[in-house]
Amino acid sequence: KKDAFKKTLEPYLETYGKDMLNDFYRHWSEANKSGTKLKWEMQTTWEIKLRLIRWDKNSEKYNK
């Protein structure tokens, strides 16, 4: 599962860079207590492009 999720981030490498995508991946690939689902799978809605846009904006705000 984690490898498949990582592959979905590859098209955004040039736009957001390796460091940001690694942070995003580490956050959203966290497994639940039973290890059956990843954090991103437990969201009611998920559109990776929109999540990355939000992550980028938040990182600018919190990394000053």
Side-chain angles (χ1 to χ4, degrees), residues 5 24 27-30 32 37-48 51:
F5 178 58
F24 184 86
H27 177 80
W28 288 107
S29 64
E30 181 181 355
N32 63 358
K37 287 189 175 185
L38 302 179
K39 190 172 191 170
W40 76 270
E41 295 174 304
M42 295 184 281
Q43 302 300 304
T44 54
T45 60
W46 182 264
E47 189 172 337
I48 197 158
R51 294 285 177 146

Side-chain angles (χ1 to χ4, degrees), residues 1-8 25 29 31-32 35-38 40-41:
K1 282 186 177 184
K2 286 186 175 187
D3 287 337
F5 178 58
K6 189 181 281 188
K7 287 185 189 286
T8 65
Y25 170 79
S29 64
N32 63 358
T36 57
K37 287 189 175 185
L38 302 179
W40 76 270
E41 295 174 304

Side-chain angles (χ1 to χ4, degrees), residues 7-20:
K7 287 185 189 286
T8 65
L9 298 174
E10 288 176 2
Y12 302 98
L13 184 59
E14 191 173 310
T15 304
Y16 295 108
K18 183 179 174 182
D19 290 338
M20 192 195 100

